[in-house]
Amino acid sequence: MAPITDIWAHPPSGQPPDLTAILAARSAAEAAERSEDLYAAAMAATERQMEADLTEARTMQAQLKQEGIDFDVDRMMAPSLTDRLLMRVDDLRDWIADRFQPDGDPSGDLAGAMAIPLGRTHPTNRLPQDYEAIFAEIQRFRDAIAAQITRSRGAPPQGITIPDAALDFVEYDDTWTEEQALLDHLSDYCAYWPPSDHGPALALTERQEDGGLPIEIELIVHGPSDHARIIALLKAHGAL
């Protein structure tokens, strides 16, 4: 089956990025230094998506105006678009700060971990393909990334499957402990390479915040102490 590249907002071609330089990094901080182009591309894709949202809303405005319904789409859309852009800018600022202060309070996350954006689909509720085709394309993308990492590490990834019972809190608890927040994060792991002589731990993740929203693929990079924390937590919940 031919790749369905038009589902991708980033990279637009659907071609997985070349991670050679990042995979040669000896630490999470060094990997971050080598991932600036990927962050810039992700930011550009976000701006393109916002422009597309605004264009779509303006088209709707013109159609409704012909039917006698008038509203100011720029006034209505501006706050939400601004908020979304500011969130992305804040994410980038946090990433830059973490590069130079990687040992801050993890607050339920992994201390010093770097999340490098690799790919993001368009909102799935706007895609003409069914979910079976979308997931097959995402699997192709992920497999290509995993193959790069496996070649670099000389070893296949470790699988992580968290029992459903260990994730019941996602549906039933209003507030999460740090352990629960980390379990939720780990539930996104599709493949995991422990730290080795070749470099820090690597995880390939896939996440969709809610139905209809974009699906995001990231590379998580972190060190030995976080690896030990992850392994202890997974063993405690029967995931290893």
Side-chain angles (χ1 to χ4, degrees):
M1 181 181 295
I4 310 172
T5 57
D6 60 350
I7 77 167
W8 297 101
H10 163 66
S13 65
Q15 178 66 34
D18 182 353
L19 301 180
T20 301
I22 293 172
L23 296 178
R26 306 297 292 179
S27 67
E30 186 178 351
E33 294 285 353
R34 300 180 179 198
S35 62
E36 292 183 3
D37 288 349
L38 291 177
Y39 273 90
M43 287 285 288
T46 299
E47 292 173 356
R48 288 195 300 270
Q49 184 65 62
M50 291 193 303
E51 285 296 323
D53 290 346
L54 190 55
T55 298
E56 181 179 358
R58 285 172 175 158
T59 300
M60 183 188 306
Q61 176 188 20
Q63 292 170 343
L64 290 174
K65 189 171 184 178
Q66 291 178 353
E67 300 174 11
I69 303 171
D70 197 9
F71 65 94
D72 186 343
V73 66
D74 291 290
R75 181 178 60 80
M76 293 179 66
M77 290 287 289
S80 63
L81 290 175
T82 300
D83 289 346
R84 287 164 62 191
L85 180 57
L86 286 175
M87 287 176 63
R88 289 294 181 181
V89 170
D90 286 343
D91 286 345
L92 184 58
R93 285 175 177 164
D94 289 343
W95 167 71
I96 293 171
D98 286 344
R99 286 168 56 194
F100 299 104
Q101 296 177 321
D103 299 320
D105 179 6
S107 301
D109 296 324
L110 296 171
M114 298 293 166
I116 301 172
L118 302 181
R120 185 173 77 250
T121 71
H122 295 292
T124 55
N125 62 2
R126 301 183 186 182
L127 296 176
Q129 296 87 0
D130 59 29
Y131 268 96
E132 183 177 356
I134 293 170
F135 289 144
E137 170 62 12
I138 290 169
Q139 185 69 54
R140 176 196 70 82
F141 188 93
R142 278 187 7 219
D143 286 349
I145 296 293
Q148 287 189 55
I149 301 173
T150 294
R151 285 195 301 270
S152 173
R153 287 296 170 94
Q158 187 177 330
I160 294 176
T161 302
I162 301 175
D164 291 341
L167 297 170
D168 281 347
F169 65 88
V170 173
E171 183 174 356
Y172 299 112
D173 293 354
D174 293 331
T175 58
W176 295 353
T177 65
E178 287 191 7
E179 179 179 293
Q180 288 172 330
L182 181 52
L183 275 173
D184 178 64
H185 172 70
L186 295 176
S187 70
D188 297 330
Y189 279 29
C190 305
Y192 183 66
W193 291 262
S196 70
D197 292 341
H198 296 284
L202 302 171
L204 190 58
T205 69
E206 176 184 328
R207 187 172 186 85
Q208 184 178 32
E209 292 291 344
D210 204 353
L213 295 180
I215 299 172
E216 297 182 293
I217 308 297
E218 292 184 324
L219 179 68
I220 309 297
V221 188
H222 59 77
S225 60
D226 284 326
H227 170 70
R229 183 183 177 197
I230 287 173
I231 295 303
L233 183 60
L234 292 175
K235 285 182 177 178
H237 288 276
L240 284 179

